[in-house]
Amino acid sequence: MSKLLPNDREGGLSPLVMRNVVAIDGPAGAGKSTVAKLLARRLGFLYIDTGAMYRAVTLKALREGVPSTEDEAVGSLAGKVSIDLVSSGNGLRVFLDGEDVTEEIRSPEVSRHVSYVARIYAVRKRLTTLQREMARSGGVVMEGRDIGTCVLPEADHKFFVTASVRERARRRQGDLRRQGHDIDLETLVQEIEKRDFIDSTREVAPLKPAPDAKVIDTTGKTVEEVVNLLATEVLKRQ
């Protein structure tokens, strides 16, 4: 049985406040970040990338030499760091203790460790509280691994965005090459399969679709097609 975060059964926020809140979950490399950004822009909502917050904690642990398998030490560290998400003309910027780490948190090293950090109860408890506060006033598109199931179960729009493992690996390879990293496709397939296993079998808030989420398979679809699909679903329920 999965370990519950505080208020998981109640959701933590009044259903009346969850109007115009879009929760997007899905595995690594499914394209949910790109889709969520564009959907938020289309709807005029605030975009919140919760995965960036876990990456920021992971980066902090790596910098401090704290192993990602040391739950107590990483949890303690997460309770002390400051993480700010700031919208700018260039998209969402991520600040860790006042430093812009937007590019650094996307490094292969952070990607290899973030699933281990994200499974730690104390880390999820701290970040879930912050994420709920961000969504309290509504008008947001929030994406991650457990938004519809744990962070914002009262959200009035829930989607689970996925794609085949090989499709996700190809997308990740393209992103890394644009950042100056060259990693072969098979290595990325193995890393994504490993992350899927860790994310979906962890004790705390495992990756899975919310019971009332609409599952969107993006394999073979363009970003525009997926954004149009989600926007249509949201707008027809307004």
Side-chain angles (χ1 to χ4, degrees):
M1 180 178 293
S2 301
K3 184 184 291 184
L4 296 175
L5 291 164
N7 294 321
D8 277 357
R9 291 303 183 196
E10 299 82 2
L13 297 176
S14 165
L16 295 177
V17 186
M18 289 293 96
R19 297 275 305 168
N20 295 324
V21 171
V22 181
I24 300 180
D25 292 311
K32 61 185 182 298
S33 294
T34 300
V35 167
K37 289 176 191 175
L38 295 175
L39 180 64
R41 186 180 305 168
R42 175 87 60 89
L43 299 173
F45 287 4
L46 175 67
Y47 164 62
I48 301 174
D49 178 2
T50 64
M53 299 172 75
Y54 287 98
R55 284 176 172 273
V57 174
T58 303
L59 177 60
K60 183 69 172 182
L62 289 169
R63 286 180 169 182
E64 296 291 325
V66 178
S68 57
T69 53
E70 295 290 337
D71 292 14
E72 185 174 347
V74 177
S76 177
L77 182 150
K80 300 173 184 176
V81 299
S82 170
I83 302 172
D84 295 297
L85 305 181
V86 180
S87 295
S88 71
N90 296 321
L92 191 74
R93 308 302 297 180
V94 183
F95 290 83
L96 173 63
D97 294 331
E99 177 191 354
D100 188 339
V101 294
T102 306
E103 281 73 38
E104 193 171 357
I105 62 171
R106 302 296 172 184
S107 71
E109 185 177 17
V110 170
S111 294
R112 281 192 288 270
H113 289 86
V114 66
S115 287
Y116 293 102
V117 169
R119 67 178 175 75
I120 299 173
Y121 178 78
V123 175
R124 299 204 77 85
K125 180 179 178 181
R126 166 79 195 290
L127 296 189
T128 293
T129 298
L130 295 177
Q131 291 154 12
R132 286 173 175 162
E133 286 300 318
M134 291 177 180
R136 188 169 292 279
S137 60
V140 303
V141 175
M142 185 178 290
E143 58 101 349
R145 298 288 198 280
D146 64 339
I147 310 306
T149 56
C150 178
V151 181
L152 304 175
E154 316 93 328
D156 50 357
H157 307 286
K158 299 179 189 177
F159 300 99
F160 189 87
V161 176
T162 188
S164 69
V165 171
R166 189 157 292 273
E167 175 82 359
R168 289 187 278 141
R170 282 195 292 266
R171 293 173 183 172
R172 178 64 176 155
Q173 186 180 52
D175 290 340
L176 288 171
R177 283 176 174 170
R178 284 188 287 274
Q179 297 169 24
H181 305 290
D182 191 11
I183 300 179
D184 72 88
L185 185 63
E186 293 307 317
T187 296
L188 290 172
V189 166
Q190 292 174 17
E191 288 184 358
I192 286 175
E193 288 177 336
K194 185 175 182 179
R195 286 187 65 184
D196 284 353
F197 178 78
I198 295 171
D199 290 343
S200 61
T201 61
R202 66 188 178 214
E203 184 180 9
V204 183
L207 169 70
K208 61 181 180 180
D212 53 346
K214 184 176 182 61
V215 178
I216 308 293
D217 190 332
T218 67
T219 305
K221 292 184 175 66
T222 67
V223 171
E224 184 178 4
E225 287 174 335
V226 178
V227 173
N228 286 339
L229 178 59
L230 268 61
T232 299
E233 288 290 326
V234 171
L235 292 173
K236 76 181 183 182
R237 293 173 55 191
Q238 294 297 310

